[in-house]
Amino acid sequence: MSIKGLIKGLHHVTATVDGAQEDYDFYVKLLGQRLVKETVNFDNEKVYHFYYGNEIAVPSTIFTTFPYRGQGVRKGVIGTGQVTETIYSAPKGSMLFWKNRLQRHGVDVIEEQRFGESYLFFNDPSGLVIGILEDETDTREPVWLSDGITKNNALPGVHHVTFAVENLSETLPFLEAFGYEQIQSDGLYTRMEAGVGGAGNTIVVQDGSELPRGINGLGTVHHVAHRVASIEDSLKIKAFIEDEFGINVTEVKDRKYFQSIYFRIPGNVIFEVATEGPGFMVDETNEELGTSLKLPDWQEVRREQIEKNLTGFNR
Ligand code: ZN
């Protein structure tokens, strides 16, 4: 049995972060992403769940955060068993614009060469490592334009994630069976692609044998989600990795905007497999996306209480 071709690429990346306001200001006002959904953590309704993406909230562009400040969650440690970097796609020739914009806002920027390409790396307000990489082949449009950002430099969304594992030889065979193909290696890094490849369909696996073991907490990525066309495909993947790898996979969970299963890969990173549909316009029009707090039906009945417990933030 094979599940080749079912995984089409990335769906979203989800991080545990500190304050809601700093998070919103960084991803919306500085990086120019669109807040495409304001909701709460379905497993902890005292905590927001922010979804940032492109104008039409296409899966693969999406980066999501749980701002856990005030909930007794400690700062995490970035290391093995985790996504260590989230890299955004940028139009060709826009790197200097981003470097200047970030520095003007007091963000320290490091330039690094990898796979023969230039990357910018910096930290978000919670300490997450974020990168920018020019990719002229990224065709995900339209992007979302905000203050001071034009079409020539707007970031279309997440390009890829890097995750670190202790032992590549146990993780790479799993990823190949799961649906990612090895494309290129550079020192500690192995680049892999699913589906049509390129922006939004790429992962980079880092040999993390020299890194500390990751500890979940503020300023760390919790999981990375990969996209499939349907729940039937998710169930085929669940059966395959349970049978072939002996990995426990959760039942299908209703995330309202998609349906998901979760599991830990060999190497400990939490993976989610999420359906492309029904999508973020199931409860808002494109124009309305992210403009007010949306709750699933089972929480809507307690809206007043839920709103009272949230910290609030200014747009
Ligand atoms: Zn998720």
Side-chain angles (χ1 to χ4, degrees):
M1 188 184 158
S2 162
I3 52 167
K4 281 253 174 329
L6 298 187
I7 295 291
K8 300 163 103 180
L10 298 176
H11 189 289
H12 65 268
V13 187
T14 292
T16 305
V17 299
D18 194 0
Q21 186 68 58
E22 293 94 313
D23 193 68
Y24 177 88
D25 289 348
F26 189 83
Y27 289 97
V28 173
K29 295 188 176 164
L30 186 54
L31 295 189
Q33 298 301 289
R34 183 181 190 187
L35 179 68
V36 293
K37 194 64 67 182
E38 176 197 345
T39 183
V40 294
N41 183 339
F42 291 176
D43 301 319
N44 181 350
E45 63 188 33
K46 290 182 177 166
V47 175
Y48 282 115
H49 194 181
F50 292 150
Y51 288 79
Y52 305 104
N54 74 351
E55 186 194 329
I56 51 171
V58 175
S60 87
T61 66
I62 307 289
F63 181 75
T64 98
T65 60
F66 294 129
Y68 261 94
R69 178 177 291 170
Q71 298 294 316
V73 174
R74 287 188 304 180
K75 187 151 178 54
V77 173
I78 297 175
T80 56
Q82 285 177 343
V83 168
T84 51
E85 303 163 341
T86 301
I87 286 86
Y88 277 92
S89 211
K92 195 159 177 56
S94 65
M95 211 59 127
L96 190 58
F97 167 86
W98 283 106
K99 189 180 170 189
N100 290 338
R101 183 177 171 93
L102 288 160
Q103 287 178 333
R104 212 169 50 240
H105 286 84
V107 178
D108 289 332
V109 176
I110 293 169
E111 290 177 69
E112 196 179 313
Q113 294 288 316
R114 219 181 268 176
F115 301 108
E117 296 177 295
S118 299
Y119 288 68
L120 283 187
F121 284 108
F122 46 95
N123 291 114
D124 88 343
S126 301
L128 290 171
V129 180
I130 306 296
I132 290 179
L133 167 69
E134 290 181 3
D135 185 348
E136 60 187 333
T137 68
D138 190 349
T139 54
R140 296 171 301 174
E141 286 192 282
V143 293
W144 178 248
L145 297 183
S146 49
D147 203 23
I149 298 175
T150 68
K151 223 169 156 64
N152 295 332
N153 44 44
L155 308 177
V158 172
H159 183 281
H160 69 267
V161 292
T162 307
F163 55 84
V165 296
E166 279 174 27
N167 184 356
L168 283 181
S169 63
E170 71 172 20
T171 304
L172 294 181
F174 171 83
L175 293 171
E176 290 192 313
F178 182 63
Y180 282 89
E181 191 188 336
Q182 291 191 41
I183 301 295
Q184 207 182 352
S185 282
D186 181 7
L188 300 175
Y189 303 95
T190 303
R191 183 168 175 164
M192 305 181 81
E193 295 184 344
V196 296
N201 306 312
T202 299
I203 55 176
V204 172
V205 189
Q206 177 183 4
D207 177 345
S209 46
E210 304 290 317
L211 293 180
R213 193 163 290 183
I215 300 172
N216 189 36
L218 302 184
T220 59
V221 170
H222 185 261
H223 64 265
V224 53
H226 308 264
R227 68 185 193 282
V228 289
S230 65
I231 295 180
E232 289 69 40
D233 287 354
S234 300
L235 292 173
K236 280 182 206 161
I237 291 167
K238 172 176 159 73
F240 176 80
I241 59 183
E242 283 179 338
D243 292 351
E244 300 288 322
F245 291 92
I247 291 171
N248 287 324
V249 180
T250 66
E251 296 306 313
V252 176
K253 295 188 191 233
D254 181 8
R255 297 312 191 192
K256 187 167 182 182
Y257 310 106
F258 43 87
Q259 312 283 325
S260 295
I261 54 174
Y262 302 83
F263 54 94
R264 279 184 191 271
I265 66 167
N268 235 13
V269 183
I270 302 175
F271 270 23
E272 173 179 350
V273 172
T275 55
E276 289 179 314
F280 295 95
M281 292 184 216
V282 76
D283 57 2
E284 287 176 305
T285 63
N286 184 18
E287 203 168 281
E288 292 166 339
L289 283 178
T291 55
S292 66
L293 178 70
K294 305 309 285 185
L295 296 170
D297 293 342
W298 67 87
Q299 283 173 320
E300 191 61 57
V301 289
R302 293 192 312 284
R303 174 175 282 270
E304 207 177 324
Q305 190 58 45
I306 290 173
E307 285 183 342
K308 214 180 288 173
N309 286 333
L310 291 167
T311 54
F313 66 101
N314 298 314
R315 288 167 194 275

